[in-house]
Amino acid sequence: MDRHDIALIGFGGVNRALAQIILDRGDELAADLGFALRVVAITDLRLGSLMQADGIDLADVFAMRDGETFAGRPGGTAAPQNDYVIRNSTADIVVEATFTNPIDGEPGISHVRAALESGKSVTTTNKGPVALAGLELNRLAAANGLTFQYEGSVVSGTPILRFASETLQGLRIDAVEGILNGTSNYVLGKMESGMTLDVAVAEAQSLGYAEADPTADIEGSDVQLKVVILANELLGADITTADVTRRGISEVSAADIIDAAAQGKRYKLIGSAFRNAAGTVTAKVEPVALPLTHPLASVTGPTNAVSFDTDLLGTVTVSGPGAGRIETAYALLSDIIAIDAHQRARVEAGR
Amino acid sequence: MDRHDIALIGFGGVNRALAQIILDRGDELAADLGFALRVVAITDLRLGSLMQADGIDLADVFAMRDGETFAGRPGGTAAPQNDYVIRNSTADIVVEATFTNPIDGEPGISHVRAALESGKSVTTTNKGPVALAGLELNRLAAANGLTFQYEGSVVSGTPILRFASETLQGLRIDAVEGILNGTSNYVLGKMESGMTLDVAVAEAQSLGYAEADPTADIEGSDVQLKVVILANELLGADITTADVTRRGISEVSAADIIDAAAQGKRYKLIGSAFRNAAGTVTAKVEPVALPLTHPLASVTGPTNAVSFDTDLLGTVTVSGPGAGRIETAYALLSDIIAIDAHQRARVEAGR
């Protein structure tokens, strides 16, 4: 039985959910996938750092008291020594799940770079490194014979990137458009039934869909990062957030929504990118009044969806959860499965 | 550059579309996929048989006069010697695209068996062999170190089977349900807007969606075959059509549809299979009044869709074309890509 040793950078909801999956059903997964998973390092802003090459007792970590740190445990410190742990742990895969920084991508970019420089493949759910330095980090991974995977950076665990790159092989993707933010989609739905933007946002916050500061969701900058990832990954573009025109749902009024409904249409915040006649890629985020027959018009609430326009197959759409701790942890697991497959292919090719 | 030599069994719309794709964009595909495609055999009820180990001139075949056969060409006969060609052609991949026989799966089953017995991998769009003998043919393929692929047997080129088996790796699929027949879906949509079943069927026929005999579409037996494939392939069942309860859309009246609409619901012909408490699989085809918020409720016209209920990710849905010559030819191409990948993996593993 093969095994991957993993380092968890950040121990918030998503990496905790991944650890819980490994603890609860590691044996079942190993039988299914042909490899075992062992956590050998954890770092976290509040917990500090823990490196144990023989495998960390996850049940023990889950039993930690509030305010307790890793200090005092073998291989443990109270300080979150992210860079040191990434470079020196015995892990072969680093799982980066720290917060998204939409401005400069840090510390995510440095984490990914440190991992790839020290011989470790990386999976991340962090949009920052992928949107702001994806091409550079992919080149670094390739140069070092490693794999950089980030399925969870776009639509949580719903496998959009892998669907496009693997399942749609042989097709040319000409355009991609999607509902890429569950909070704004939920809020638009509520506005359709007569709520004001502010009340709908407050409701989304109380349900845990929206952040305390909902600006990134409502004004479209979260979607903007995701459109950069989709355009660069699926359309071979090399764009940055500055290249993505952005308008948020605050520009849609209750009157707009009523007018649209009267015409059989429904507003959705659409992130899109398409290859234009000049061969470059046009990308934008904007509220669009879609006809009800459009494949994205009926995607409601926190569900996300992405439609791909292809040459031979026309339009194909994938929809599924766009958030959730366990769902996003599955994105990490699916990335680890892909990293394993790539490593095996490399070993076979090198024989 | 690697190359696959292929034999086209049946030269109707779908295999013609595949040949056209190879003729028009073979070079582009070869650059993209890393292998070339060459047609070395064609058999067809009306055209006869043609075997040319150095590759058939497809432009010449497309230029054939109405009523002309392959007789007189080198390697050509007026008779469609399917079994002889499958066994003796120099192809390494057989593309089976003859008609679906829902009763005994013939001649499709014999074609697939002959190919696998003579060392050739197979792709088919023919539901018959997959639904009625899928497990046997998969075992035969595995025993002979070959690959049997049939993406196009369920939802045309929309890659349902590969999405489930590859993109959703690591998840347990507990249930699958889908809109698997575009004709009945189109007819139900027309009945919603007040048409009678008969008029709607006639309109679907005039648009080319429905067959001259629409019984298999309207009474659900087409979907029944597809449910067998989904249940056996994705839920590990071993069922036959007799195990799939079947009710068609002829059981839905205009009054039912109006009543459903008054309750915010919409009728869809749903094929479904789920793992029940006893661990066996329950499968059925029936018209279901879905709430409009259901992911399948808004799938309209000739579009098909399949939802997968999974343990970690909840419900994920893929929608796309459920018919069309080019779209279905893409299913064959995607199968050939999968066969190539399996063959490479086998070669690497055998080194």
Side-chain angles (χ1 to χ4, degrees), chain A:
Chain A
M1 171 64 71
D2 291 329
R3 189 187 65 223
H4 292 290
D5 283 353
I6 67 178
L8 303 177
I9 309 307
F11 202 60
V14 172
N15 263 349
R16 274 181 187 267
L18 179 63
Q20 194 75 54
I21 291 168
I22 293 170
L23 182 62
D24 292 347
R25 36 178 300 197
D27 292 345
E28 185 190 334
L29 279 172
D32 182 21
L33 301 173
F35 60 84
L37 287 174
R38 187 168 72 167
V39 177
V40 297
I42 301 176
T43 68
D44 183 73
L45 218 51
R46 281 171 305 176
L47 299 176
S49 301
L50 186 62
M51 284 203 288
Q52 294 182 344
D54 292 338
I56 292 169
D57 180 346
L58 294 172
D60 173 60
V61 171
F62 282 120
M64 285 169 73
R65 296 184 317 276
D66 211 32
E68 193 182 348
T69 74
F70 290 133
R73 282 181 161 72
T77 64
Q81 304 174 315
N82 290 339
D83 189 73
Y84 179 83
V85 169
I86 291 169
R87 292 184 187 272
N88 293 286
S89 100
T90 52
D92 65 303
I93 299 177
V94 167
V95 181
E96 213 284 343
T98 67
F99 64 96
T100 291
N101 174 337
I103 308 303
D104 67 3
E106 293 295 356
I109 291 177
S110 293
H111 291 163
V112 176
R113 206 182 275 131
L116 296 173
E117 284 172 357
S118 60
K120 300 164 179 83
S121 287
V122 179
T123 161
T124 189
T125 55
N126 187 334
K127 292 179 285 291
V130 190
L132 302 179
L135 297 182
E136 175 217 321
L137 295 170
N138 268 311
R139 277 193 295 266
L140 179 60
N144 292 358
L146 298 165
T147 307
F148 179 39
Q149 295 283 308
Y150 33 82
E151 185 66 71
S153 66
V154 186
V155 192
S156 170
T158 304
I160 295 302
L161 298 179
R162 214 160 278 125
F163 179 75
S165 64
E166 296 185 5
T167 315
L168 298 185
Q169 268 189 80
L171 295 175
R172 193 186 62 230
I173 298 174
D174 295 318
V176 56
E177 63 176 352
I179 292 174
L180 300 166
N181 181 278
T183 304
S184 56
N185 200 45
Y186 177 86
V187 167
L188 277 176
K190 288 292 161 182
M191 288 174 72
E192 261 181 66
S193 51
M195 235 177 235
T196 64
L197 177 70
D198 291 345
V199 174
V201 168
E203 185 176 299
Q205 285 170 326
S206 73
L207 288 166
Y209 293 157
E211 309 279 334
D213 176 0
T215 314
D217 294 329
I218 301 306
E219 298 306 340
S221 52
D222 173 70
V223 176
Q224 198 177 28
L225 288 171
K226 293 169 175 173
V227 167
V228 170
I229 297 173
L230 290 173
N232 289 350
E233 187 78 11
L234 306 184
L235 301 178
D238 183 6
I239 63 173
T240 67
T241 46
D243 301 311
V244 184
T245 315
R246 173 173 62 83
R247 290 172 51 223
I249 65 170
S250 63
E251 301 193 15
V252 181
S253 68
D256 294 335
I257 287 175
I258 292 165
D259 285 354
Q263 298 168 49
K265 292 183 174 178
R266 179 178 286 157
Y267 268 99
K268 293 291 179 189
L269 183 63
I270 300 295
S272 65
F274 65 92
R275 203 175 278 112
N276 56 43
T280 60
V281 167
T282 302
K284 56 192 170 185
V285 181
E286 58 181 2
V288 180
L290 298 176
L292 293 180
T293 51
H294 190 284
L296 299 179
S298 53
V299 174
T300 55
T303 302
N304 283 193
V306 178
S307 287
F308 307 90
D309 283 352
T310 70
D311 54 347
L312 299 176
L313 194 54
T315 301
V316 190
T317 304
V318 178
S319 67
R325 292 178 309 110
I326 296 170
E327 292 83 348
T328 310
Y330 170 68
L332 295 170
L333 178 62
S334 77
D335 282 349
I336 291 170
I337 295 169
I339 290 168
D340 177 75
H342 291 190
Q343 287 185 357
R344 281 170 202 256
R346 252 182 235 110
V347 169
E348 295 287 355
R351 273 205 219 163

Side-chain angles (χ1 to χ4, degrees), chain B residues 171-234:
Chain B
L171 295 175
R172 192 186 63 229
I173 298 174
D174 295 318
V176 56
E177 63 176 352
I179 293 175
L180 300 165
N181 183 278
T183 304
S184 57
N185 200 45
Y186 177 86
V187 167
L188 277 176
K190 288 292 160 182
M191 288 174 73
E192 261 182 68
S193 50
M195 237 177 234
T196 64
L197 177 70
D198 291 345
V199 174
V201 168
E203 184 175 300
Q205 285 169 326
S206 73
L207 288 167
Y209 294 155
E211 309 279 335
D213 177 359
T215 314
D217 294 330
I218 301 306
E219 299 305 341
S221 52
D222 172 70
V223 176
Q224 197 177 29
L225 288 172
K226 293 169 175 173
V227 168
V228 170
I229 297 173
L230 290 173
N232 289 351
E233 187 77 11
L234 306 184

